Amino acid sequence: QVRLVESGGGLVQAGGSLTLTCAASGFTFKSTGMGWFRQAPGKEREFVASIAWSGSSSYADSATGRFSITRDNDKNTMSLLISPLKPEDTAVYYCAASDSSWFRTQVSQYRYWGQGTQVTVSL
């Protein structure tokens, strides 16, 4: 049974920082490229960041500089640090497992998805 469980979301203040975590199970995490996506109200789901099995990472242009993606292959976890937070970061953030061991940037390239965690950044 594949499981991807996000945690760490909540109501936070602009200018602060937040770390989201994804706990994975049911597949070979250590050889799977992983990614974070987000979907704001009324908008399409968009790519945020991805990380290969080795730890090499890729970021969306909008995420470069304020987002940091990491993974721990021993713990089967992946994290996303957002700092500093901005109001436009408000969205549901999704953890996803790709169809490759390397970078993937499109929704269609991900096989498994978590339920998402809500991040709300106050003005």
Side-chain angles (χ1 to χ4, degrees):
Q1 182 181 6
V2 173
R3 292 191 295 268
L4 294 172
V5 182
E6 302 95 336
S7 62
L11 177 62
V12 292
Q13 187 176 17
S17 62
L18 187 70
T19 299
L20 307 180
T21 299
C22 172
S25 61
F27 65 99
T28 308
F29 177 85
K30 63 182 179 182
S31 63
T32 301
M34 302 292 295
W36 286 99
F37 291 76
R38 68 183 181 184
Q39 188 165 20
K43 301 180 68 176
E44 296 182 351
R45 188 170 300 187
E46 66 174 354
F47 168 74
V48 176
S50 63
I51 185 166
W53 68 272
S54 63
S56 297
S57 59
S58 180
Y59 297 89
D61 290 341
S62 61
T64 300
R66 297 192 300 110
F67 290 73
S68 180
I69 186 171
T70 57
R71 67 188 295 158
D72 188 332
N73 287 338
D74 292 327
K75 297 181 178 179
N76 285 5
T77 59
M78 176 183 66
S79 295
L80 182 72
L81 169 65
I82 312 172
S83 182
L85 290 156
K86 295 182 177 181
E88 53 262 43
D89 294 326
T90 295
V92 176
Y93 284 74
Y94 296 92
C95 167
S98 79
D99 59 2
S100 172
S101 63
W102 205 243
F103 304 124
R104 291 292 186 263
T105 61
Q106 301 180 33
V107 170
S108 62
Q109 295 173 315
Y110 284 78
R111 301 178 63 184
Y112 309 119
W113 295 83
Q115 287 289 104
T117 184
Q118 177 71 50
V119 174
T120 303
V121 183
S122 63
L123 297 172

